[in-house]
Amino acid sequence: MRSRYKILNEEGIHFITSTIVDWIEIFTNEDYFKILIESINYSISEKNLKVFAYVLMKNHFHIICKAEQLSNVIRSIKSYSAKIIIEKLEEDKRYDLLEKFKLKNDNRYQIWQEGFHPKEIINNEEFKQKIEYIHNNPVNENYCVSPTDWKYSSANFYENEQQTVIKVERIV
């Protein structure tokens, strides 16, 4: 079934969530995180994606971003990362996980849930609330004690003005 979530204002800044099928924890080591990081950074450099905040979790990601044709950019990130994740799972002989991603009666795999959940951010208060939510996500899941301890988020960009594994921009 196709997602009914749509981006109505392509000029806007959006809070986006995308989830791995069945909430399977695929991002459990550096190699798998790198796949998603490289896909997002490619879109930043080649597709004019602007990232204002993010967090990568073990089975989903949140990102506050903007781009022309944002739906296509997010679709591209998910499509490319899924292809490389499948290759990596095969290389790592993770047949247990591949079986979980296998489509019924088919030899293809689905890594990401269809669609994504865009929410346009309309004011600074909402922007701050979403950033706080994103940065506290790893703490709430007991991945770390402080938001700045989690390598796969923009918390250090906001707290310590350090660039992170994904290039983040401030809204001027």
Side-chain angles (χ1 to χ4, degrees):
M1 180 190 320
R2 293 278 173 217
S3 172
R4 286 182 266 159
Y5 296 100
K6 292 190 177 170
I7 292 176
L8 301 176
N9 178 9
E10 285 285 342
E11 306 283 312
I13 295 171
H14 289 80
F15 170 79
I16 291 172
T17 299
S18 196
T19 307
I20 298 292
V21 168
D22 294 332
W23 292 84
I24 296 168
E25 292 187 352
I26 192 70
F27 302 108
T28 56
N29 70 44
E30 182 77 17
D31 291 340
Y32 289 91
F33 275 110
K34 269 184 169 176
I35 294 167
L36 184 55
I37 291 164
E38 288 172 3
S39 186
I40 293 170
N41 280 332
Y42 176 84
S43 291
I44 290 169
S45 66
E46 301 299 321
K47 298 182 179 190
N48 206 27
L49 175 68
K50 306 280 187 231
V51 174
F52 304 108
Y54 72 92
V55 66
L56 310 180
M57 302 293 285
K58 293 179 181 179
N59 52 18
H60 68 285
F61 70 86
H62 300 291
I63 188 169
I64 298 174
C65 61
K66 176 180 181 170
E68 289 182 28
Q69 300 181 345
L70 183 56
S71 293
N72 291 340
V73 172
I74 299 299
R75 192 175 307 112
S76 172
I77 289 168
K78 289 172 58 175
S79 175
Y80 178 77
S81 64
K83 176 182 181 267
I84 304 304
I85 287 168
I86 291 165
E87 289 173 3
K88 182 71 177 143
L89 288 169
E90 289 172 338
E91 177 186 315
D92 291 347
K93 297 179 177 25
R94 291 301 312 269
Y95 304 118
D96 56 325
L97 284 175
L98 283 168
E99 192 61 35
K100 291 178 181 182
F101 293 123
K102 198 172 207 176
L103 294 170
K104 290 182 179 165
N105 303 319
D106 203 334
N107 283 328
R108 294 178 302 147
Y109 303 100
Q110 181 177 346
I111 301 296
W112 295 101
Q113 288 182 11
E114 283 191 25
F116 57 94
H117 306 285
K119 175 161 184 358
E120 186 174 5
I121 296 176
I122 54 174
N123 59 46
N124 282 340
E125 183 179 321
E126 191 174 5
F127 184 74
K128 288 176 187 173
Q129 183 238 356
K130 293 297 185 194
I131 287 177
E132 186 174 323
Y133 172 80
I134 283 173
H135 292 163
N136 282 305
N137 212 242
V139 175
N140 295 338
E141 291 296 318
N142 295 314
Y143 294 177
C144 57
V145 174
S146 166
T148 55
D149 294 339
W150 188 243
K151 176 180 178 178
Y152 306 106
S153 100
S154 55
N156 270 308
F157 179 79
Y158 284 91
E159 294 294 321
N160 303 316
E161 298 185 17
Q162 294 175 352
Q163 199 47 260
T164 61
V165 295
I166 292 173
K167 184 178 181 251
V168 180
E169 295 185 26
R170 285 200 189 276
I171 295 179
V172 178

